[in-house]
Amino acid sequence: MSKSSEVRIPANEITVKRRADVSIAVVGTPNSGKSTLFNRLTGLKQRIGNYPGVTVERHIGTLKTNDAVIELVDLPGTHSLTPHSLEERISVDVILGRVEGTAAPDGVLAVLDASNLYQGLFLVQQLLDLDLPVVVAMTMGDAAIRSGIDVDVAALQDALGGVPVVEVVATTGSGLDELRVAIAAMRGAAASRELVVWPELRRAAGEFQQATDNELSLRVCERLILEGISEHTQNYARLTESQTANLVSQRDKLFGMEPPIAVEARIRYAWVRDTLKKVQRSAPRLQSWRTRLTAFLNQPLPGTIGLFLVMAVVFQAVFAWATPVMDLIDSGTAVLSGSVAAALGEGAFSSLVADGIVAGVGSVIIFLPQILILFLFIILLEDSGYLARAAYLMDRAMHSVGLSGQSIIPMISSFACAVPGIMATRVIPNRRDRIATILAAPFMTCSARLPVYALLIAAFVPAKQVGFMNLQGLVLFGLYLFGIVMGVLTALLIRKTALRGPKPPFALMLPEFRRPNLQTVFIQLLGRAKVFLYRAGTVIFTVAVIVWALAYFPRSDSIGAEAEQQREAASYSVSGPELEAEYARIENLAAAAQLEQSWLGRAGKAVEPLFKPLGWDWRVSAAVIAGFPAREVVIAVLGTVYAVGDEADEQTLSGRLKASRWPDGSSVFTLPMVIGLLIFYACCLQCAATLAVIRRETNTWRWPVFAWVYMTTIGYLGAMLAFQVGSA
């Protein structure tokens, strides 16, 4: 085989069918205003997906011009084409056409922050070395002026070899029309290679290109020399021995004994410094409220106090502001379910629609208020520039438990609900930190645990004063603290074992405060809602319907017939309110009997020996199984199984729990058993929504299965220890 036949066509030269006439990658450094600009250009014409095999989201939008449909791909922020995180790797691979199933871009829209040209120009000059047409959108011009920076756009365009540079203010829309024209002009345009920052690299690439008989483009040869023989080499070519030897020789001559990344940084930053002298002038810094606020909050004490105040507002909003809307959704679901049941009458189909489908949809939608409120705050904090400061301030404290400062918002948010908290881990760029935070988040005491805590604590913990605190309140505080400790220990354990690895350096820009754009906020908020409803919601709904089927089937005709006879007999003996109360008692007894002989009741009896070391009877076991979709369902199931109705008040149900007996006459709900049950609910991952979101965010079932087994095991062992020791 000849050496020319060994050379493969680069992945980015393979034609991949796409929906638009041209595909443009939107590339920029973090906090450069890239996503805001993308949202202003595409509006609601966006779709969100995942890159193949990874959890990194792919945001694709459509920009229509007079004669073309342009596809814009918003790539994760990256500082250079030498990636350090999964998100940066995805950006680089998409730009270079190395992602399987993803078309290589036809051009690049480089977003350059006018207030931080030093870092942005490093990336821009790397992009100009590619075989792709480039348009530069210079954002943050208003922020640059406030910082005392004046940029000569014409001089910058000349310094970049004539590449178009368009000034835009993404938050106001200034310059967008001119930018749309420049983007449309990229259709069919040739790459501009007038700028040669590193002539030695170009010369080495030309010599290596000759060694491959000119089968590879100059750009591919440059990337091979920069990267060497790596896992991505096969994306460009399969080299013969002589070609490989030539590549090694070119690298030795170019880099010597120095790391290639160090040589590249020295040369490119030298060009950046020379360029800044030509295009950037310093002016007196305007002392606006933004600059004064930035200087104040950059101080350790005010910054820390401000962070805790902001977190308190976020926590209060997610926990309290969402409650009225969630209660409204819950009430609406109950009313709709009752109306459907009344319209369809009795029977399996009626119960499926009312208790399965309607309740299942309600169990999905009820999370939306919390998710929208949390992400509203996250988007506002991120767009305003505050999120970077929060991560910086908390990094040292979180670092001690194996996490980064960016984990603080997801962890705090999980006190309201783990679902939006886990979704909030998208702000964490490092994969290990992100997964560790995801696994720690479900331990935080979410609002769904509170009904169970309230019932058991009120019924079995004496309302005594311990110093200035009530014993019941002290137990509740202890459960919150227990969840925090278990979450922190889990993160520490997982980072020392399964996710062990070097912790990447924590470096980020602290941008000046800026006003978020409402259109961008709305678009991102809508995207988060769609992601939850389309992906996590399908799993939650499916599980809810499955549990309904387990609790409904099989039906016993004899129980129904006996209940009808009792109702008929009651109608002859009592009347008025007493008759209604007797009807309710008969219905509750029939429902309890039906549940006992259903598949769910049989499952509870089947697993009773497994949970007997915890002091649980089949009723508690069945309630725990039924509570898998959502913990708060346990109260309704206990109300049904103890024949007080699924809408039982706390006092009535507490009395039934206290009166529950084993066959030998001993109490089921003893204090050690209740403490064990509280520990179980504090640890066990009994929430289908959380599992669905973990699956969604990690892109694999391995982590949700691990989390469920790990947390259930801890909960089981903790409950058994509490019961056995307490009983002894």
Side-chain angles (χ1 to χ4, degrees), residues 315 319 323 370 415-416 444-458 476-477 479-480 631-632 635 650 678 681-682:
F315 177 63
F319 192 81
T323 300
Q370 289 181 324
F415 279 104
M444 303 301 108
T445 301
C446 66
S447 57
R449 289 183 171 102
L450 290 180
V452 182
Y453 288 173
L455 172 67
L456 296 177
I457 291 174
L476 183 60
F477 173 76
L479 290 170
Y480 268 86
R631 298 178 183 92
E632 57 268 35
I635 304 300
E650 186 177 291
L678 288 171
Y681 271 100

Side-chain angles (χ1 to χ4, degrees), residues 612-649:
K612 198 163 187 180
L614 281 62
W616 300 359
D617 65 355
W618 76 267
R619 293 177 177 86
V620 179
S621 302
V624 169
I625 296 172
F628 173 73
R631 298 178 183 92
E632 57 268 35
V633 176
V634 172
I635 304 300
V637 176
L638 285 173
T640 299
V641 81
Y642 281 100
V644 294
D646 58 1
E647 299 295 331
D649 62 89

Side-chain angles (χ1 to χ4, degrees), residues 317-318 321-323 325-326 329 364-374:
V318 176
W321 298 0
T323 300
V325 184
M326 295 176 73
I329 294 173
V364 174
I365 298 177
I366 200 169
F367 286 106
L368 264 184
Q370 289 181 324
I371 289 172
L372 293 178
I373 289 174
L374 174 63

Side-chain angles (χ1 to χ4, degrees), residues 173-223:
S174 173
L176 288 184
D177 291 338
E178 185 181 351
L179 181 61
R180 291 187 182 97
V181 173
I183 293 173
M186 273 198 283
R187 183 187 179 192
S192 173
R193 300 187 65 87
E194 295 180 19
L195 178 66
V196 181
V197 175
W198 196 350
E200 293 82 7
L201 174 62
R202 182 65 54 83
R203 184 165 51 250
E207 293 177 3
F208 178 67
Q209 184 183 37
Q210 293 177 5
T212 63
D213 290 342
N214 295 314
E215 291 289 338
L216 298 178
S217 68
L218 199 60
R219 193 274 300 172
V220 170
C221 293
E222 287 180 353
R223 294 311 306 174

Side-chain angles (χ1 to χ4, degrees), residues 496-514:
K496 296 291 186 182
T497 55
L499 297 176
R500 182 174 51 194
K503 193 168 182 62
F506 184 69
L508 77 167
M509 289 293 300
L510 291 180
E512 190 181 76
F513 288 106
R514 53 183 179 265

